[in-house]
Amino acid sequence: MRISLSVLAWLIGAGHIWARYTGQRSQAFWLKPMPIILFMVLTLLAVEPVSTTYRLFVLIGLLFSMAGDIFLALPQDRFVLGLASFLIAHLCYIAAFGSRSGVHFTWWVVAAAIIYGAVMLSLLWPGVASGLRLPVLIYLLVILVMGWQATEQWLQVRDGSSLLAMAGALLFVLSDSALALNKFRAPFGAADAVVMITYYAAQWLIALSVEK
C-alpha cells in the first residue's frame, strides 16, 4: 500500500508539473496539493511510528504545506499567506525533529547554515520588495533551523528514519532556495520542475521518516 501510494503521488506530481509547462492552469491547481494528501495518508499508515508526537507534528506540517500549495497556486497574489502556511509547516517539522533528539548545537552544522543563509540573502535582498523583506528573512531563518535540527537529529539518532528526515529537510531548503531565486533574483525556465521535484521529494521523505 505504501509503495502504491508513493507511486501514485509521484505520477500526480508529474502531471502537475506537465500541466504547469503546458499552460493548463486549472489542472495544475487541482493536481498540486494531491501528492501532499497522499503523503498525509502515508504518515497515518505507518504501522510502527517513531512516536505518536513525531507523527502528529509531521501530519500537521503536511496539512499546512497543503494550505500553502493552494495559496501559492491561486490566481490572486497570496504569496504572504502561502509563506505563512509553509512557515507553520516548518515549525511543525522542527518540533517533530526536536521531539526525538532535543536541541543540539554542532558547530559545523550551525556554521554551514549561517554561511548558506548569508549567501542566499546576498543574492535575494536586492530583488525583495521592502514590504516583503521581514517575512522573507523570518522564513529563511526558520527553514535553515529546520535543516539544522534535522541534521542534528540524524547526528544524535543515526537511524533510517532520521536519515530520511534529514534528506527531506535539506531538499526542502534546496526547493525553497530555487523558488526564491526564481522569484526575486532571476527567473529560469527549469524553475517549476526543479522546485516541484525537490519539494515533492522533500515532503515524501519526511512523511516516510515517520516509520521506524
Side-chain angles (χ1 to χ4, degrees):
M1 176 65 76
R2 287 166 63 82
I3 294 175
S4 300
L5 284 173
S6 296
V7 171
L8 179 58
W10 276 105
L11 288 174
I12 294 173
H16 164 72
I17 295 170
W18 176 261
R20 288 173 73 116
Y21 276 103
T22 55
Q24 302 176 65
R25 295 184 178 181
S26 178
Q27 292 89 329
F29 176 82
W30 292 108
L31 290 174
K32 186 178 184 182
M34 287 185 182
I36 306 303
I37 295 172
L38 294 175
F39 297 154
M40 292 172 68
V41 176
L42 277 180
T43 67
L44 293 171
L45 289 179
V47 177
E48 195 175 359
V50 292
S51 75
T52 54
T53 300
Y54 187 93
R55 172 156 58 186
L56 178 61
F57 277 123
V58 169
L59 192 61
I60 297 173
L62 287 168
L63 180 63
F64 275 96
S65 294
M66 182 180 66
D69 282 337
I70 294 171
F71 282 130
L72 292 180
L74 288 172
Q76 304 90 347
D77 186 3
R78 296 291 185 269
F79 179 76
V80 173
L81 288 174
L83 202 69
S85 298
F86 278 112
L87 182 70
I88 296 171
H90 294 320
L91 291 172
C92 289
Y93 292 152
I94 291 169
F97 305 149
S99 72
R100 293 198 70 198
S101 59
V103 178
H104 296 274
F105 296 85
T106 302
W107 73 267
W108 61 267
V109 180
V110 177
I114 292 172
I115 292 170
Y116 188 89
V119 171
M120 285 300 299
L121 274 182
S122 68
L123 292 172
L124 298 175
W125 213 240
V128 180
S130 58
L132 288 177
R133 286 189 167 183
L134 182 59
V136 168
L137 178 59
I138 293 172
Y139 187 87
L140 176 62
L141 289 173
V142 170
I143 194 169
L144 288 175
V145 170
M146 186 192 69
W148 161 37
Q149 286 304 302
T151 304
E152 295 284 5
Q153 179 193 207
W154 179 74
L155 290 172
Q156 297 298 318
V157 180
R158 300 273 186 168
D159 63 0
S161 169
S162 61
L163 181 60
L164 289 172
M166 181 180 68
L170 296 180
L171 279 171
F172 222 138
V173 174
L174 178 61
S175 178
D176 279 349
S177 298
L179 177 65
L181 289 170
N182 181 68
K183 183 174 181 65
F184 298 117
R185 180 70 180 185
F188 57 101
D192 283 346
V194 172
V195 170
M196 295 312 301
I197 290 171
T198 51
Y199 169 69
Y200 285 139
Q203 298 281 32
W204 178 54
L205 292 172
I206 292 172
L208 291 178
S209 76
V210 170
E211 186 78 64
K212 280 186 180 179

